[in-house]
Amino acid sequence: MRALVGQYYVVLRSALRTRTELRRCVTRCRHCGIFFLTHPRNAGRRDLGCPFGCKEAHRKRRSIQRSVEYYSTDEGKTKKKIQNGKRSQGEARADHNHQAIRGRQLERDGVRLDAAMVGYVRMVTSLIEQRRVSEDEIVEMLVRAMRQHSIARRRRMDYVLAYLRKNAP
């Protein structure tokens, strides 16, 4: 993970060197402390969570906290008792939307992408390129990037040997 964060910071610093006006959009996640770019309307805020998981984790924690508070009241206890009674009677269960539980996913060419992350990449790309970038452009770019295999993942000798085994003389 440390290597990924290092690569991320190299790219972030590079973008900030070329686009100095974006420095005001850099903020630190209040949960994990990582620096990230935020929309200009949120520039200067110190209460933001990063789009890499902290924002979603904080939202879930707050939801659980609200549920616990509600179900500890008399009204909540009554409602929970009714819900549990329905479950034990074997009534038809509501159809759970598994997409909503996992978060919205985009899929193209067999590659699954998190919609929230695509939105963040779209916002950052729009800021850097100073133009509106569509979601389709971002998805296409990410699918292309995720399908490319880096030569740095294996030693050169391993590539040569694999090639020779596949295409024997």
Side-chain angles (χ1 to χ4, degrees), residues 27-82:
T27 190
R28 185 184 283 263
C29 175
R30 67 182 263 197
H31 305 290
C32 68
I34 193 171
F35 287 100
F36 65 98
L37 283 172
T38 186
H39 196 277
R41 69 176 168 247
N42 290 326
R45 288 184 54 186
R46 303 211 183 278
D47 61 341
L48 300 174
C50 70
F52 310 118
C54 291
K55 183 168 47 174
E56 183 67 20
H58 179 68
R59 188 192 66 75
K60 284 181 181 177
R61 277 195 307 271
R62 292 289 297 140
S63 174
I64 291 168
Q65 183 182 7
R66 283 191 307 274
S67 293
V68 167
E69 288 172 2
Y70 174 73
Y71 287 121
S72 64
T73 65
D74 289 337
E75 179 187 355
K77 287 178 183 177
T78 305
K79 186 172 182 179
K80 188 65 175 170
K81 190 172 188 173
I82 292 168

Side-chain angles (χ1 to χ4, degrees), residues 14-30:
S14 173
L16 294 175
R17 260 189 244 117
T18 58
R19 300 289 316 282
T20 56
E21 69 274 9
L22 291 180
R23 287 187 183 160
R24 67 183 189 90
C25 296
V26 174
T27 190
R28 185 184 283 263
C29 175
R30 67 182 263 197

Side-chain angles (χ1 to χ4, degrees), residues 59-141:
R59 188 192 66 75
K60 284 181 181 177
R61 277 195 307 271
R62 292 289 297 140
S63 174
I64 291 168
Q65 183 182 7
R66 283 191 307 274
S67 293
V68 167
E69 288 172 2
Y70 174 73
Y71 287 121
S72 64
T73 65
D74 289 337
E75 179 187 355
K77 287 178 183 177
T78 305
K79 186 172 182 179
K80 188 65 175 170
K81 190 172 188 173
I82 292 168
Q83 287 174 338
N84 288 342
K86 286 180 182 178
R87 188 175 15 213
S88 65
Q89 292 172 3
E91 289 186 15
R93 291 184 184 178
D95 213 7
H96 291 292
N97 184 355
H98 294 291
Q99 285 290 74
I101 294 169
R102 287 183 306 191
R104 198 168 72 99
Q105 298 280 320
L106 300 172
E107 188 169 339
R108 183 169 303 163
D109 298 336
V111 177
R112 281 192 182 164
L113 301 169
D114 180 64
M117 190 55 63
V118 170
Y120 176 72
V121 171
R122 178 177 171 243
M123 185 269 304
V124 170
T125 306
S126 295
L127 286 175
I128 292 172
E129 292 188 2
Q130 294 182 317
R131 69 177 183 91
R132 262 188 203 264
V133 179
S134 72
E135 186 176 278
D136 288 337
E137 286 179 88
I138 296 300
V139 169
E140 184 180 317
M141 175 195 68

